[in-house]
Amino acid sequence: KPVISTGSEHYFPFNAEWSSKGRELERFQTKSKKTLAKPGVKNIVLVEGVRTPFLLSGTTYADLMPHDLARAALQGLLHKTSLPKDAVDYIIYGTVIQEVKTSNVAREASLGAGFSDKIPSHTVTMACISSNVAMTTGVGLITAGQCDTIVAGGVEFMSDVPIRHSRKMRKTMLALNRAKTLGQRLSLIGSIRMAHLTPELPAVAEFSTAETMGHSADRLAAAFGVTRLEQDEFALRSHTLAKQAQDAGLLSDVISFKVPGRDTVAKDNGIRPSSMEQLAKLKPAFIKPHGTVTAANSSFLTDGASAVLIMSEEKALAMGYKPKAYLRDFVFVSQDPKDQLLLGPAYGTPKVLARAGLTMDDIDVFEFHEAFAGQIMANLKALDSDWFAQTYMGRKVKVGAPAMEKFNLWGGSLSLGHPFGATGCRLVTTVAHRLLKEGGQYGLVAACAAGGQGHAMVIEAYPQ
């Protein structure tokens, strides 16, 4: 069987039977594990999480707007929880590439979903961890005693991104708007040149380094000695496990969505198990001809939205809900955006474990955001490196890499899709569902983000 190597040892043999059957047989829960509740600190719970199907951009959602997807996720959450529309204290959404007409997409989506217009709503952005920020902002509001019930979520719509006129053309158009005489207008129109008509596309590169994320992922993979074979094997694993989870009905957070004027969509459409032979045929996508990052071992442009209901435990129980999980310690990290752009999980994981007083062995379920297969493998190697721990983390020893039999067992961003603003809520909801399914107690979410930033959170199963 193919093996993903980490240099001196192998993380796992690829096993197509790592599906729900295997997980049901192997239960990680240790009843003697402590709870992470803290004296004097409110317990905050995840009551429910939903998402629209994640679709390849340019497919069934192509004619919508971002708030349409966000509204569908919010309506799905309302339907699943029977939550009164005026029972929410605050709504927070994350997004990355904003639609200028609905810049506060949280407000437009919540009004469209029928929530009371008395509920404040705001939108946050932090690249691929935007909905993580939305959730933790909600946690902060509850902890501070400002709120008891929060809806957080995220949305991304890559089928239609804002394309601007060039700077010179924009200046001319604004000047035309201010011009008072026909002569002034004709003079400005006469100053327009063909070069002014070249449009500006949204940046696909880091502003601070001018480097694309794919190029950075390729360099990161090379720096950690991650081979093309390892990346293709991990990508195949992601798609295979996602297909098994989808077929077994494990992706229960996905809601059906009737797209106006089109079909009802009920499942993600980017899951495409292939073969190592097919993956090997693809050429490098960024560093040519010797790079190792390809279209198949990278996440794809995706449309989708997610939403979660977060409450204080006291409020959830008072309203008759059975929570899914406790949201416990979390951290945000930031590092060099040039050479360590995608190492958020390697920095965040040791820090959040330390905050929670846990070790890697205590964690039963891992869900890491898969931006690129090479990025995942580099983070695993960094976590398993004493040198990295000592040089960059100020630690004496490494925390170790996650056990792969606990890692992203229902697929990940490579296969399920990655709507930038929505992935964080998917990760947290998946951890909660896997803990329930597998009988574990602790889960860990980790993700990288543009700008060299990252997030990690510990989640504790709610007693069943």
Side-chain angles (χ1 to χ4, degrees):
K1 294 175 181 176
V3 170
I4 286 190
S5 168
T6 65
S8 61
E9 64 184 56
H10 298 303
Y11 278 130
F12 66 92
F14 181 80
N15 189 334
E17 295 175 3
W18 283 340
S19 59
S20 57
K21 293 180 182 178
R23 293 295 82 229
E24 286 177 41
L25 294 174
E26 188 164 355
R27 304 177 71 82
F28 292 111
Q29 188 165 19
T30 305
K31 292 182 180 177
S32 61
K33 283 183 181 177
K34 63 180 180 180
T35 178
L36 297 180
K38 295 177 181 176
V41 177
K42 284 186 181 181
N43 280 327
I44 298 170
V45 294
L46 173 73
V47 175
E48 187 59 86
V50 302
R51 63 183 178 90
T52 67
F54 287 177
L55 303 190
L56 291 151
S57 62
T59 57
T60 309
Y61 295 153
D63 296 326
L64 301 179
M65 289 178 66
H67 75 282
D68 294 320
L69 290 177
R71 179 181 63 217
L74 290 172
Q75 289 174 331
L77 187 68
L78 286 171
H79 177 74
K80 209 164 187 178
T81 60
S82 300
L83 180 72
K85 292 180 180 178
D86 59 354
V88 176
D89 298 318
Y90 210 104
I91 297 171
I92 311 161
Y93 251 71
T95 196
V96 180
I97 300 179
Q98 292 184 329
E99 163 59 55
V100 293
K101 292 180 181 178
T102 57
S103 57
N104 187 4
V105 71
R107 180 63 170 170
E108 305 308 331
S110 62
L111 291 174
F115 281 94
S116 167
D117 59 12
K118 302 294 190 290
I119 301 171
S121 312
H122 80 266
T123 301
V124 296
T125 188
M126 196 174 179
C128 302
I129 51 176
S130 293
S131 61
N132 307 68
V133 177
M135 288 184 287
T136 56
T137 301
V139 168
L141 287 169
I142 296 172
T143 302
Q146 294 291 313
C147 303
D148 278 314
T149 305
I150 298 283
V151 170
V155 62
E156 209 65 46
F157 189 67
M158 300 302 293
S159 288
D160 180 30
V161 295
I163 299 172
R164 305 199 300 179
H165 283 291
S166 68
R167 184 83 183 250
K168 288 183 177 179
M169 190 64 185
R170 297 200 305 272
K171 280 186 174 181
T172 303
M173 293 171 76
L174 289 169
L176 271 170
N177 198 44
R178 296 191 298 267
K180 291 183 169 53
T181 67
L182 178 62
Q184 289 174 334
R185 293 191 187 97
L186 291 174
S187 175
L188 286 164
I189 291 170
S191 72
I192 296 172
R193 300 291 177 264
M194 285 298 293
H196 296 181
L197 302 177
T198 303
E200 285 182 7
L201 297 172
V204 293
E206 287 290 309
F207 184 80
S208 61
T209 66
E211 183 178 42
T212 66
M213 189 173 282
H215 195 282
S216 182
D218 223 327
R219 289 196 304 105
L220 184 70
F224 279 88
V226 182
T227 67
R228 166 72 182 270
L229 179 65
E230 288 176 305
Q231 293 175 61
D232 286 352
E233 284 170 349
F234 188 87
L236 180 60
R237 173 190 192 264
S238 182
H239 281 271
T240 302
L241 294 178
K243 185 69 167 71
Q244 291 172 355
Q246 188 179 66
D247 291 347
L250 298 176
L251 307 181
S252 58
D253 56 332
V254 180
I255 58 169
S256 295
F257 174 34
K258 175 63 174 75
V259 180
R262 305 188 75 164
D263 298 332
T264 296
V265 289
K267 63 181 184 179
D268 308 320
N269 73 355
I271 303 172
R272 297 178 181 179
S274 184
S275 67
M276 290 298 293
E277 292 74 25
Q278 289 298 113
L279 296 183
K281 293 178 182 177
L282 293 183
K283 295 181 179 179
F286 300 99
I287 297 180
K288 303 170 183 180
H290 303 301
T292 56
V293 174
T294 70
N297 59 40
S298 309
S299 55
F300 49 87
L301 296 180
T302 315
D303 300 334
S306 56
V308 296
L309 176 59
I310 300 171
M311 306 176 82
S312 64
E313 182 182 24
E314 184 180 13
K315 182 70 170 181
L317 297 179
M319 290 186 69
Y321 288 115
K322 181 63 182 290
K324 291 179 181 288
Y326 293 108
L327 302 182
R328 297 302 194 191
D329 292 279
F330 62 86
V331 296
F332 288 92
V333 294
S334 190
Q335 57 277 340
D336 173 19
K338 178 68 176 177
D339 293 323
Q340 299 190 346
L341 179 72
L342 303 170
L343 286 178
Y347 280 91
T349 298
K351 289 185 177 181
V352 82
L353 288 173
R355 283 184 66 91
L358 299 176
T359 69
M360 289 293 257
D361 289 339
D362 292 320
I363 304 299
D364 304 309
V365 166
F366 292 93
E367 286 292 331
F368 281 24
H369 163 49
E370 301 170 353
F372 303 87
Q375 160 259 332
I376 285 287
M377 299 307 300
N379 275 276
L380 297 185
K381 292 191 178 191
L383 287 167
D384 207 30
S385 165
D386 282 324
W387 176 84
F388 185 87
Q390 293 159 5
T391 306
Y392 293 106
M393 297 291 297
R395 299 176 55 90
K396 292 181 179 178
V397 294
K398 65 190 180 185
V399 295
M404 295 308 294
E405 64 267 19
K406 304 177 182 180
F407 189 86
N408 290 19
L409 293 188
W410 294 356
S413 300
L414 289 173
S415 49
L416 301 172
H418 173 41
F420 304 144
T423 288
C425 290
R426 176 189 69 77
L427 293 170
V428 168
T429 303
T430 300
V431 165
H433 287 172
R434 281 188 55 202
L435 288 171
L436 284 167
K437 180 73 174 173
E438 298 165 20
Q441 184 170 353
Y442 300 131
L444 193 149
V445 161
C448 59
Q453 304 194 100
H455 170 75
M457 177 188 278
V458 171
I459 295 153
E460 183 179 348
Y462 198 83
Q464 296 303 305

